[in-house]
Amino acid sequence: MRGGTAVSIAYQTLRLSDLPGLRAAIRSGDYVKHTAGLGAGHLQTNLAILPEAYALDFMRYCQRNPKPCPLVGVSDTGDPMMRTLGRDIDIRTDVPAYNIYLDGKLADSVTDITDIWRDDMVAFALGCSFTFERALEEAGVPQWHIDHDTTVPMFRSNIETVPAGPFGGKMVVSMRMIAPERIDEVREISRRFPLAHGAPVHIGDPEGLGIADLSRPDWGDPAEIEPGKTPVFWACGVTPQVAIERAGVPLCITHKPGHMLVTDISETAEVPVLNPKHH
Amino acid sequence: MRGGTAVSIAYQTLRLSDLPGLRAAIRSGDYVKHTAGLGAGHLQTNLAILPEAYALDFMRYCQRNPKPCPLVGVSDTGDPMMRTLGRDIDIRTDVPAYNIYLDGKLADSVTDITDIWRDDMVAFALGCSFTFERALEEAGVPQWHIDHDTTVPMFRSNIETVPAGPFGGKMVVSMRMIAPERIDEVREISRRFPLAHGAPVHIGDPEGLGIADLSRPDWGDPAEIEPGKTPVFWACGVTPQVAIERAGVPLCITHKPGHMLVTDISETAEVPVLNPKHH
């Protein structure tokens, strides 16, 4: 498992293998690293926290771009508890690391935002690729970045997102090399997870997406361009971060990439909403 | 097809079988009846138009209750064009009939809202059951209300929706009698349409939902309680209408039940967003 060895050496006294232990370790600040492979089958999410004045437009942006921005949870204004995603999730403490953007520029990275949370804040949780990556792993589809414990390569594509208010810009895509004979299966598996980017947005020819050099990603680490395999591109959760930077929102807080919110929701739940009855 | 005969007699000079003809007939006011079976495989939606002051809470309500309130499109504030759902959809004219609610009470039904549209309005399109009903029909699963050209029976259940701001209340459910040996198949088929209420919320025993008498629906027409079949209940698009009534929104406009917005989006599209590239 990606990160498994490093995690077990550095944090061998922490109980990370179950959800309550992981949540407690993150909340206390004892665990501040990435969450890939952790969480025992629970939905992990990207995070964007914005002032309410931007919330309606940002929510419209997510609705109009459901593949890069699959909305899985929204807090009440000023309420730091993500009530539909867990019984006791405090968004100010329960993510391992946060990035703080001022006027659209990365200003700081912290492990707790209790002191900067405000009464006009709205927290948005967005589905992430860990969900379909796990499904591909279970189907025995190798993914280079997982096998080599690196971050998936991501590229700015030439696909325009559908704008909403100040939010817009190009879609960011992640790339995985897939054996041609497994592409249909990979498409079907990932399509089953509409709240985790769904089916690929492009298969083959990087130039069709305006990507000049597959070995030089805009984010993440380069992955080997494996001979005989085809590059397959998915909509990526970095897209809303780019849209937020472009919009120049005065104050925005996101997760630090890879350092996700781990929810109480099962990855296989039909809807990402905690509701004791009939859901 | 439900309504087919009545439609062809009353409107035999109108061209309703293709989307442009149907859209033109609705826009001109020549077609003001229900849209069941029309639209040639395009996504049909429920409609709720609210002042912007209520839009963020209503959108949160939809996000938290995706089975009764599957959000498929949201207009910009004051813009009557549903740009992500079609190339030329004007929400003021392109629905056959509208209900107008004042302070949460039904005040009027009209066929055009051009004169009451305001610059602070936001239009929400919500997925409807026509989509999965068509899929069930194609799989050869009989549905009594379709075969008898009636409206599906709907009931107020005891399931609490997840509240957001002033919006909340009980979930409304629709009921279809299904042969026991086909229930697994029916569940799988409808689960494939998360933007059209998804899988059933309850199977069997109406009392489990607080429904005392299956022959007396709260909305729609009674359906025959077919011996040997099992009542199966789905989340229903009347739920947000009840939430809006309960919230006492000063002005709200909805579609008249059964009189849907017919979009340009295919019922089988992965995402309900018109985008020329890669979607």
Side-chain angles (χ1 to χ4, degrees):
Chain A
M1 288 304 294
R2 171 169 52 178
T5 309
V7 165
S8 62
I9 292 170
Y11 295 97
Q12 52 188 284
T13 63
L14 299 177
R15 186 167 55 93
L16 301 179
S17 58
D18 67 4
L19 185 58
L22 176 65
R23 178 92 33 85
I26 291 172
R27 182 172 296 184
S28 65
D30 290 330
Y31 186 77
V32 297
K33 298 187 69 170
H34 73 64
T35 54
L38 299 177
H42 291 90
L43 186 69
Q44 300 199 29
T45 79
N46 295 322
L47 173 68
I49 301 175
L50 298 160
E52 188 185 54
Y54 290 86
L56 179 59
D57 277 329
F58 186 70
M59 209 159 170
R60 280 192 273 228
Y61 184 70
C62 294
Q63 193 280 322
R64 293 174 188 177
N65 299 283
K67 286 168 74 92
C69 314
L71 199 54
V72 299
V74 187
S75 77
D76 282 333
T77 303
D79 182 0
M81 306 307 291
M82 301 302 284
R83 298 180 193 281
T84 56
L85 294 176
R87 304 212 176 276
D88 178 36
I89 295 178
D90 187 330
I91 205 64
R92 299 170 299 185
T93 54
D94 292 355
V95 171
Y98 305 81
N99 279 344
I100 301 172
Y101 290 84
L102 300 177
D103 298 324
K105 292 186 179 60
L106 180 63
D108 203 0
S109 291
V110 299
T111 60
D112 187 307
I113 57 166
T114 303
D115 56 340
I116 58 169
W117 178 264
R118 298 191 322 214
D119 282 352
D120 70 335
M121 291 292 203
V122 182
F124 296 89
L126 303 165
C128 85
S129 58
F130 287 175
T131 303
F132 79 78
E133 287 184 347
R134 178 191 290 264
L136 293 181
E137 275 189 283
E138 282 174 6
V141 176
Q143 296 171 79
W144 194 93
H145 72 287
I146 294 178
D147 297 339
H148 294 81
D149 196 15
T150 62
T151 302
V152 73
M154 292 165 271
F155 302 87
R156 192 183 302 265
S157 79
N158 61 7
I159 304 175
E160 278 293 336
T161 61
V162 182
F167 302 104
K170 304 293 189 188
M171 187 188 293
V172 178
V173 296
S174 61
M175 190 278 291
R176 293 159 188 81
M177 300 295 294
I178 305 291
E181 69 274 15
R182 303 208 68 174
I183 286 177
D184 284 347
E185 182 189 0
V186 161
R187 185 198 288 116
E188 281 313 301
I189 290 173
S190 55
R191 188 176 166 139
R192 269 187 247 138
F193 298 95
L195 296 179
H197 306 309
V201 292
H202 186 80
I203 293 169
D205 179 22
E207 287 182 18
L209 288 179
I211 297 168
D213 186 348
L214 217 47
S215 68
R216 297 182 56 190
D218 297 305
W219 296 268
D221 300 313
E224 188 182 321
I225 313 304
E226 298 165 89
K229 291 193 174 180
T230 301
V232 177
F233 300 89
W234 278 265
C236 172
V238 173
T239 309
Q241 292 203 17
V242 170
I244 287 166
E245 288 177 46
R246 187 173 171 275
V249 179
L251 171 60
C252 172
I253 304 162
T254 70
H255 67 292
K256 188 173 171 180
H259 301 60
M260 305 302 191
L261 172 66
V262 183
T263 73
D264 291 8
I265 308 288
S266 165
E267 278 183 333
T268 57
E270 187 190 6
V271 297
V273 181
L274 208 70
N275 200 334
K277 291 184 71 174
H278 301 291
H279 273 280
Chain B
M1 287 305 293
R2 171 170 52 176
T5 308
V7 165
S8 63
I9 291 170
Y11 294 96
Q12 52 187 283
T13 62
L14 299 176
R15 188 168 52 95
L16 301 178
S17 58
D18 67 5
L19 185 58
L22 177 65
R23 177 92 33 85
I26 291 172
R27 182 172 296 184
S28 65
D30 289 331
Y31 186 76
V32 297
K33 298 186 70 171
H34 72 63
T35 54
L38 299 177
H42 291 91
L43 186 69
Q44 300 198 28
T45 79
N46 295 323
L47 173 67
I49 300 175
L50 298 159
E52 189 186 53
Y54 290 85
L56 179 60
D57 277 330
F58 186 70
M59 211 159 168
R60 280 192 272 229
Y61 184 71
C62 294
Q63 193 280 322
R64 293 173 188 178
N65 298 283
K67 287 169 74 89
C69 313
L71 198 53
V72 298
V74 187
S75 78
D76 282 334
T77 303
D79 181 1
M81 306 307 291
M82 302 301 284
R83 298 180 193 280
T84 56
L85 293 176
R87 304 213 175 275
D88 179 37
I89 295 178
D90 186 330
I91 204 63
R92 298 170 300 184
T93 55
D94 292 354
V95 171
Y98 305 81
N99 279 344
I100 300 172
Y101 290 84
L102 300 177
D103 297 324
K105 292 187 179 60
L106 180 63
D108 203 359
S109 293
V110 299
T111 61
D112 186 308
I113 57 165
T114 303
D115 56 340
I116 57 170
W117 178 263
R118 298 191 323 213
D119 281 352
D120 70 335
M121 291 293 203
V122 182
F124 296 89
L126 304 164
C128 86
S129 58
F130 287 175
T131 302
F132 80 78
E133 287 186 345
R134 178 192 290 263
L136 294 181
E137 275 188 283
E138 281 174 6
V141 177
Q143 295 171 81
W144 193 92
H145 73 286
I146 294 178
D147 297 339
H148 294 80
D149 197 15
T150 63
T151 302
V152 72
M154 292 164 271
F155 302 87
R156 192 182 302 264
S157 79
N158 60 8
I159 305 174
E160 278 294 336
T161 61
V162 182
F167 302 103
K170 304 293 189 188
M171 188 188 294
V172 178
V173 296
S174 62
M175 190 279 291
R176 293 160 189 80
M177 301 293 296
I178 305 291
E181 68 275 15
R182 303 209 67 175
I183 286 177
D184 285 346
E185 181 190 359
V186 161
R187 185 197 288 115
E188 281 314 300
I189 290 172
S190 56
R191 187 174 165 141
R192 267 187 248 139
F193 298 95
L195 296 179
H197 307 310
V201 292
H202 186 80
I203 294 171
D205 180 22
E207 288 181 17
L209 288 179
I211 297 168
D213 186 348
L214 216 47
S215 68
R216 297 182 55 190
D218 298 306
W219 295 268
D221 300 312
E224 189 181 319
I225 313 304
E226 299 164 271
K229 290 192 175 179
T230 302
V232 178
F233 300 90
W234 278 264
C236 172
V238 172
T239 309
Q241 293 203 18
V242 170
I244 287 166
E245 289 176 46
R246 187 173 171 277
V249 179
L251 170 61
C252 172
I253 305 163
T254 71
H255 68 294
K256 187 173 170 180
H259 300 60
M260 304 304 193
L261 171 65
V262 183
T263 72
D264 291 8
I265 307 288
S266 165
E267 277 182 336
T268 57
E270 187 189 6
V271 297
V273 181
L274 208 68
N275 200 333
K277 290 184 72 173
H278 301 289
H279 273 278

